[in-house]
Amino acid sequence: MTRTPSVPLVVYANTKHAGEELLHMKSVLGQALRRGKNKLQTLVKPKSSTKKQKDEPEEMWRVMFHNSEYMPERVARELTKVFPITRQTAFDICVRARNTPTGMVTVTITNKKQAEKYCGAVLRRGLTATIEPCDRE
């Protein structure tokens, strides 16, 4: 059997099915191979219906930056390393966070996975950030 090196296959189990050996294999293509008498057949697994439908929109999340007691120039420099924004925009975010009564401003609205990455990166830099679901009305 020849296969391309870009398609990794892992054998999970061998089972007997009506005199034929069925190899359950995980691959990028989601296929299983059935070995019979002098032949090899490829069986394609049906698509799983548990995945999200592409029609329904993904829930969006806000990345909230909290006021910091550090110098705004230092905070702006750290924010530009995390978010794709200019230093002037980051400085404006710092000033807005200081001037709001809650001490929080929204930096960006994105999907949950990316929001968690941004929040973790801000926290690793010694600043404070949180994420919260975005209310789209």
Side-chain angles (χ1 to χ4, degrees), residues 4 8 19 21-22 27 32 40 52 55 59 63 72 82 86 94 111:
T4 60
E21 186 178 352
L22 183 63
S27 73
L40 186 66
K52 283 186 176 179
D55 298 340
E59 186 179 8
V63 179
V82 175
T86 63
C94 296
N111 61 21

Side-chain angles (χ1 to χ4, degrees), residues 12-132:
Y12 280 139
N14 290 330
T15 59
K16 296 285 185 177
H17 182 268
E20 297 178 339
E21 186 178 352
L22 183 63
L23 299 174
H24 297 281
M25 296 188 171
K26 179 183 178 185
S27 73
V28 175
L29 304 174
Q31 298 175 345
L33 302 175
R34 179 181 290 171
R35 194 177 303 156
K37 295 181 181 177
N38 299 328
K39 62 182 177 180
L40 186 66
Q41 296 176 339
T42 303
L43 305 173
V44 179
K45 289 179 165 181
K47 295 285 183 179
S48 162
S49 63
T50 59
K51 291 185 178 180
K52 283 186 176 179
Q53 296 292 331
K54 296 201 181 225
D55 298 340
E56 57 187 61
E58 192 172 353
E59 186 179 8
M60 302 303 280
W61 289 72
R62 295 177 199 267
V63 179
M64 303 294 291
F65 173 71
H66 297 252
N67 184 18
S68 175
E69 297 300 322
Y70 295 112
M71 300 279 297
E73 293 83 13
R74 179 202 176 263
V75 175
R77 185 172 58 243
E78 296 300 324
L79 287 177
T80 56
K81 292 178 183 176
V82 175
F83 297 100
I85 56 176
T86 63
R87 189 167 289 189
Q88 181 61 45
T89 305
F91 186 80
D92 293 340
I93 289 171
C94 296
V95 171
R96 259 190 293 146
R98 286 181 184 235
N99 294 334
T100 58
T102 59
M104 297 187 311
V105 291
T106 301
V107 180
T108 187
I109 298 175
T110 184
N111 61 21
K112 184 174 183 178
K113 186 176 180 179
Q114 186 64 42
E116 289 172 343
K117 286 180 182 179
Y118 281 146
C119 184
V122 170
L123 293 174
R124 281 191 299 275
R125 296 189 182 280
L127 303 172
T128 308
T130 56
I131 62 171
E132 60 184 38

